[in-house]
Amino acid sequence: MATPYRSLSLRSLALLATLVAAISIALALLAVGPAGAHVLTVEGTKAGIDPRSTVLLGSQLNFDFPLEREKFENPQGNAIVSSSKVYAIYWDPTNHYDGDWQHLIDVFLKSMGGSSKDLGAVFAVDAQYTDAANEHAYYDSTFEGAYTDTDAYPSSGCADPQPMNPRSLIGPEVAPGEHAPICLTDQQLQTELQTFIADHSLHKGMGTIFYLLTPPGVTVCLDGGGITGHCSDFVGEVSEIEADTEAKVEADEKKEAYVEPADYKSYVNSFCSYHSDISASNSEGGENTILYGVIPWTAGGLGDENLIFGNDQASAFPCQDGGYDPSSKPAGKHEKKKEKSPKEIKEDKEKSLEEQAKIAEAELLEGPHPEEPNQVKCPSPDGWCDSGLADLIINQMSVEQQNIVTDPLLNAWQDPNDNEVMDECRNWFAPILGGNVGAQEGSFAGTLYNQLLEGNSYYLNTAFNAAAFKSFYPGVPCISGPRLEPQFTAPNPVNVNEIVGFDGMESDVTLGADTVFSKGVPHTGYATFTWNFGDGSAPVTGYAPGAPLTNSPGVSPCGAPQWEAPCAASAYHSYQYGGTYEVTLTVADTGGNTGSVTKQVTVNGPPPPSPEPTPTPTPTPTPSTTPPSTTSSGSGSSVGSSGGSGSTGQTSTTPAPVLGAAVTSKSLKKALKSGLPVQYTTNEQVAGNIEVLLESSLAKRLGVKGATATGLPAGTPKSIVVGSAVLVTTKAGHGTIRIKFTSRAAARLKHTRKLKVTLRLFARNASRQSPQTTTMLSTVVLNP
């Protein structure tokens, strides 16, 4: 039975050695720089690695961010992942991946899936990244479950630079260093993954992500390993690494050549995790493509006494936040220890072993150290204080998830230095939601967290917001989640016919810009702003920034040639009659999220004239057995209503508009790709919407989600909205409009052979003071 932490003595000689080593490594690695992601090819294997060192990222030493974030792009529009199904596979025939670690990781993946489409989550930032078809890397994840793979490991295919000898692996009767280390190559991992997928009949393709996790004591290399290999482990004397780093900085300042020692290179080449792909048939992938992330155990072993006799008692903060203190003001300062004088160092060495152990433990608690929000109590179920080590693995999975969805085949979203999306804001964890930066006894870790997913706390690297370099407010490049807060200030009471302005650029729209493709050519797209002035006039819709020329004929429609027309971030309007009007601004950001705000405007002046009474026509007698008639158009029914809420058969001074609509092509494939073409007719100027509805029961079976369709006639099946388009005309006539399906719906429906949907058209008189609304419903069957 494991010994509880509180009953232990203050460590013994072995513990003293590991604590001193941990402190020395912590101090040395601060100068080298911590984790991120970088695409490189090693012995024929192309991978997006998450290295411990910043050297590969193309940034200056001691400079935290890559130098060319503004050029982060996907110029060819190569594939992204719009929605993903996630599997976790623990390859652990030795039974050393503790159950509490697996539980925390699995709950994280489930919470990540359960919080999909949560605007406040860090993964929602990725929705701004697109491919040539203008599909977005939406935050749409589904956890498909976890599994422990007990297939035996093959013979080591690489040389572990620094073999770890955990007591539970070698047994108490075997001295450390006398067992064969387990070192697996990427090719061996690929072979096992392919076999596992085939054995369990798991679905492959661009919408599935497999995470392969290995336990402590198992090293992974992209090559043959050894002292210069690219491995999850590294070797080197701490003092030499620190001295080499200082020498390199000095050489760079003097612009002198510098030759790195082999052990220093071992650290530079080491990684925390990586991702790659198998069997991608082309630059867009295919149905046999396997997207995978490899997550070795790089969480260290502080707090886990089972690992004390190995080389894994060092803190693993370089594979998390790099020893920064995000709670500092300003955020992002390094955690630092008090430097000791030579005299103090000499005095410490003269103390007893027990006193030295106390000093070493106190310094380890001081920092730098990782953050483990899920180490909520000590001891853990096994008697030690190590459950929270899984928080470091969780951060690695978060990093790889965002790299995979934006760069699945290693040819999409990168900067000129081959850095992926999670490199651009590496080791930036602010703002903090809670927890304590101070290390706890037993785990030697803090408890900070910056994400809440389904009520669970996590400490995850923030995401890169490329929109910050395209739309300069709010312009924050490293964020823990996007915001969408439409805002404008209503003017003071004004007089009729005065031109008044509405400034939507007050809004806080994080995903205010993205890259869109037109005939394969990328350009910048912007968030959409729609104004409804509340007086029956037609809505004004366009992009931000910029303003329409309505009421400003001498001004350019957008004000700058690089902006997308039409523009409507700001708008002018005048009111013909006095009264109080509700003005609504609706903003749709580039990630597919929408939000609205409504303010009242008071207009001084005479109210609208009262309509003259009209004679009430004498009703024609009708047999009681004949049901009331309704106006029809095409294959659908049209119902007029007073102000949008009346009932058929009422007499109104303003007749409802006469509408018609028909689908001109019933190809499901074409509709999902380029929109459902609808030809409409109207007898006057109207403003409204056309929607594509899907019965909720069918949507549930197909796994399609969407907003509930409200205001349907009694007896109509409950439905959701899977596509919509604004309909605004300036006069009577006809035209064609394409209704784009939501990306989420299109992804789910693309394998459907036959689909029945309902077309709903509703519009009101746009040129009348007492508008009436007509609603039309028709059923459409779309074929392959």
Side-chain angles (χ1 to χ4, degrees), residues 530-540 575 582-586 764:
T530 299
W531 297 92
N532 189 319
F533 299 109
D535 61 351
S537 61
V540 173
Y575 290 89
E582 289 192 341
V583 180
T584 299
L585 168 63
T586 300
R764 66 177 184 276

Side-chain angles (χ1 to χ4, degrees), residues 63-294:
F63 186 75
D64 301 322
F65 301 118
L67 299 179
E68 297 186 283
R69 291 189 296 174
E70 301 93 322
K71 298 178 182 178
F72 188 77
E73 60 182 355
N74 179 14
Q76 304 303 319
N78 288 330
I80 51 85
V81 177
S82 59
S83 64
S84 62
K85 296 181 182 297
V86 174
Y87 289 92
I89 303 167
Y90 300 89
W91 192 9
D92 183 27
T94 58
N95 192 28
H96 290 107
Y97 217 111
D98 290 359
D100 52 349
W101 296 338
Q102 293 190 36
H103 175 69
L104 287 176
I105 294 168
D106 294 346
V107 169
F108 161 70
L109 293 174
K110 182 177 185 298
S111 299
M112 181 176 71
S115 297
S116 286
K117 307 175 184 65
D118 181 354
L119 188 60
V122 66
F123 307 100
V125 181
D126 302 329
Q128 66 189 283
Y129 299 115
T130 58
D131 62 12
N134 293 318
E135 288 288 342
H136 292 250
Y138 289 115
Y139 176 22
D140 188 3
S141 168
T142 301
F143 178 47
E144 296 286 318
Y147 192 97
T148 297
D149 177 9
T150 57
D151 285 353
Y153 292 130
S155 299
S156 288
C158 47
D160 187 346
Q162 184 78 5
M164 190 191 77
N165 302 315
R167 179 171 57 194
S168 56
L169 273 178
I170 62 178
E173 73 284 354
V174 182
E178 293 187 5
H179 81 292
I182 301 170
C183 188
L184 303 175
T185 65
D186 178 70
Q187 187 58 54
Q188 289 176 315
L189 294 173
Q190 286 192 24
T191 299
E192 177 63 20
L193 183 57
Q194 288 175 295
T195 300
F196 184 91
I197 291 172
D199 287 347
H200 297 277
S201 301
L202 301 181
H203 182 72
K204 297 178 289 187
M206 291 294 290
T208 306
I209 299 174
F210 297 94
Y211 286 108
L212 192 58
L213 300 96
T214 56
V218 177
T219 297
V220 175
C221 295
L222 292 174
D223 48 23
I227 195 170
T228 60
H230 293 76
C231 302
S232 59
D233 207 349
F234 68 97
V235 67
E237 290 292 331
V238 173
S239 59
E240 292 181 6
I241 292 176
E242 189 170 12
D244 292 336
T245 302
E246 293 174 355
K248 185 171 179 63
V249 172
E250 184 177 350
D252 284 353
E253 290 175 348
K254 295 180 179 180
K255 297 183 179 180
E256 297 176 348
Y258 174 74
V259 179
E260 298 171 350
D263 55 357
Y264 176 77
K265 196 164 188 175
S266 177
Y267 177 80
V268 172
N269 287 346
S270 66
F271 56 79
C272 302
S273 62
Y274 68 90
H275 74 96
S276 189
D277 62 87
I278 305 172
S279 301
S281 57
N282 52 53
S283 61
E284 297 300 314
E287 61 181 11
N288 289 318
T289 299
I290 299 174
L291 304 178
Y292 69 99
V294 175

Side-chain angles (χ1 to χ4, degrees), residues 387-672:
S387 289
L389 290 174
D391 281 307
L392 284 78
I393 300 299
I394 286 170
N395 180 60
Q396 285 302 304
M397 300 188 81
S398 171
V399 167
E400 296 302 344
Q401 177 72 16
Q402 294 179 82
N403 287 335
I404 292 173
V405 300
T406 57
D407 192 24
L409 302 178
L410 304 168
N411 62 1
W413 286 94
Q414 300 174 25
D415 72 11
N417 291 322
D418 301 322
N419 298 315
E420 294 183 288
V421 65
M422 294 306 290
D423 292 315
E424 308 298 333
C425 292
R426 58 175 298 137
N427 309 315
W428 195 255
F429 285 70
I432 295 300
L433 296 179
N436 192 336
V437 70
Q440 301 182 101
E441 291 187 10
S443 68
F444 304 101
T447 58
L448 295 178
Y449 63 92
N450 62 356
Q451 291 280 301
L452 285 173
L453 303 178
E454 292 196 322
N456 299 306
S457 303
Y458 301 106
Y459 187 65
L460 307 180
N461 204 120
T462 56
F464 177 55
N465 176 30
F469 296 94
K470 300 178 180 181
S471 181
F472 295 106
Y473 177 79
V476 180
C478 300
I479 55 177
S480 58
R483 295 183 304 278
L484 177 56
E485 300 175 3
Q487 186 63 272
F488 69 95
T489 300
N492 296 126
V494 298
N495 297 323
V496 296
N497 297 322
E498 288 183 343
I499 296 177
V500 291
F502 301 93
D503 183 13
M505 289 299 288
E506 298 177 18
S507 304
D508 185 351
V509 185
T510 303
L511 305 183
D514 67 351
T515 297
V516 294
F517 289 81
S518 177
K519 296 181 179 180
V521 178
H523 67 278
T524 301
Y526 297 93
T528 303
F529 284 52
T530 299
W531 297 92
N532 189 319
F533 299 109
D535 61 351
S537 61
V540 173
T541 298
Y543 302 99
L549 53 72
T550 304
N551 290 325
S552 303
V555 179
S556 170
C558 291
Q562 73 270 22
W563 293 348
E564 189 172 7
C567 293
S570 299
Y572 279 124
H573 189 70
S574 62
Y575 290 89
Q576 185 178 1
Y577 299 105
T580 298
Y581 299 90
E582 289 192 341
V583 180
T584 299
L585 168 63
T586 300
V587 180
D589 69 15
T590 58
N593 309 294
T594 59
S596 298
V597 62
T598 298
K599 302 286 184 69
Q600 287 189 338
V601 175
T602 299
V603 179
N604 299 320
S610 300
E612 295 183 5
T614 56
T616 301
T618 302
T620 302
T622 304
S624 58
T625 56
T626 303
S629 61
T630 59
T631 304
S632 63
S633 176
S635 60
S637 61
S638 175
V639 181
S641 63
S642 175
S645 60
S647 59
T648 305
Q650 291 182 334
T651 302
S652 171
T653 57
T654 301
V658 178
L659 304 174
V663 174
T664 59
S665 171
K666 296 184 179 181
S667 167
L668 177 59
K669 182 178 180 180
K670 292 181 179 179
L672 295 176

